[in-house]
Amino acid sequence: MLSSFDLEEITGIGNGIYIIALAALVVVLIILLIVQSVKTAGLRKRFEAFMTGKDMKSLEEELKEQIVTTKELQNTVETNSRDILKLSGKMKHSFQKIGVEKYDAFNEMGGKLSFSLAMLDEKDDGFILNAMHSREGCYTYIKEIVKGNSYIVLAEEEARALAAAKGERLEDTDDTDSDI
C-alpha cells in the first residue's frame, strides 16, 4: 500500500519528462502570447485610425454632429410638412382653373376684342367675367359659378369659357367665334 503520493511509482515515468513537457507547454504558450500581441497591436492601430477622422476629429465627435444634423433635418421636415398642409388648404380656395373665350360681340369691329373669362377653384366654384367691346364702349358683367354651374343662363361664349376652365370641350355652333 502506498503511504504517500508518488506519481513516478504510479505512472512509471520519471520527473524529468514532466519537466520537459511543462517547458514545451510554456514555450507554446509564449509563442501564442506573442502572436496575439502582434494581432492586438495591429487591431489597435486600425482602431485608432478609425476613431480619428480626416481632420483629426474623433468618430464620436463626428457621430454627435451627425445626430444634431439629423435632428435639425427632422425639425425642418416637420415644419415643411405643416407648411405644405397649410398651402394645400389655401390652394383649394384659390382659382386653379381658367378658361378664356375671345369673340366679336357685335360683328362690326373685328379683332375679337370681347371676351369671357371663367375662373374656378378646386370645387368648380368661381365666376365668369364677360367683357363686351363695342364702338360706344366696353361693358363688363360677372356671373357666379357654383359647383360648375351658373344660376343665370350663360351665353355661348361664356359656356365655352366655362367648359375650357373645367377641361371640357363644347361643340362650336359658329366657327367664326371659336378661333382665338
Side-chain angles (χ1 to χ4, degrees), residues 93-123:
H93 304 291
S94 66
F95 295 119
Q96 303 172 12
K97 304 171 187 177
I98 299 173
V100 176
E101 182 69 25
K102 290 178 66 175
Y103 62 98
D104 188 3
F106 300 106
N107 293 326
E108 61 189 42
M109 302 213 28
K112 295 185 179 184
L113 298 176
S114 300
F115 66 91
S116 291
L117 170 67
M119 296 183 75
L120 305 174
D121 65 7
E122 184 179 84
K123 298 177 183 177

Side-chain angles (χ1 to χ4, degrees), residues 26-138:
V26 168
V27 170
V28 169
L29 289 176
I30 290 174
I31 291 171
L32 288 175
L33 180 65
I34 292 171
V35 168
Q36 289 302 320
S37 295
V38 169
K39 286 183 179 180
T40 303
L43 188 59
R44 180 178 303 278
K45 287 180 185 177
R46 288 181 24 207
F47 175 75
E48 288 174 359
F50 181 71
M51 293 301 286
T52 305
K54 292 180 183 176
D55 55 353
M56 302 308 284
K57 281 186 175 179
S58 72
L59 181 62
E60 182 181 4
E61 291 173 6
E62 188 69 29
L63 287 175
K64 285 180 182 178
E65 288 178 11
Q66 290 300 320
I67 289 170
V68 168
T69 302
T70 301
K71 287 180 181 178
E72 289 172 355
L73 287 173
Q74 286 174 337
N75 291 337
T76 302
V77 166
E78 289 172 5
T79 301
N80 288 344
S81 295
R82 283 192 303 269
D83 291 345
I84 288 170
L85 286 175
K86 285 180 187 177
L87 288 173
S88 293
K90 290 179 181 181
M91 285 293 294
K92 291 180 181 179
H93 304 291
S94 66
F95 295 119
Q96 303 172 12
K97 304 171 187 177
I98 299 173
V100 176
E101 182 69 25
K102 290 178 66 175
Y103 62 98
D104 188 3
F106 300 106
N107 293 326
E108 61 189 42
M109 302 213 28
K112 295 185 179 184
L113 298 176
S114 300
F115 66 91
S116 291
L117 170 67
M119 296 183 75
L120 305 174
D121 65 7
E122 184 179 84
K123 298 177 183 177
D124 286 343
D125 294 338
F127 62 88
I128 295 178
L129 176 68
N130 195 4
M132 293 190 311
H133 191 275
S134 70
R135 290 181 187 203
E136 291 82 33
C138 183

Side-chain angles (χ1 to χ4, degrees), residues 5-16 18:
F5 182 71
D6 190 8
L7 192 58
E8 186 177 339
E9 287 180 16
I10 296 173
T11 60
I13 302 174
N15 288 338
Y18 287 118

Side-chain angles (χ1 to χ4, degrees), residues 22 69 134 138 145 169 172:
L22 287 176
T69 302
S134 70
C138 183
I145 304 298
R169 175 109 171 112
D172 293 334

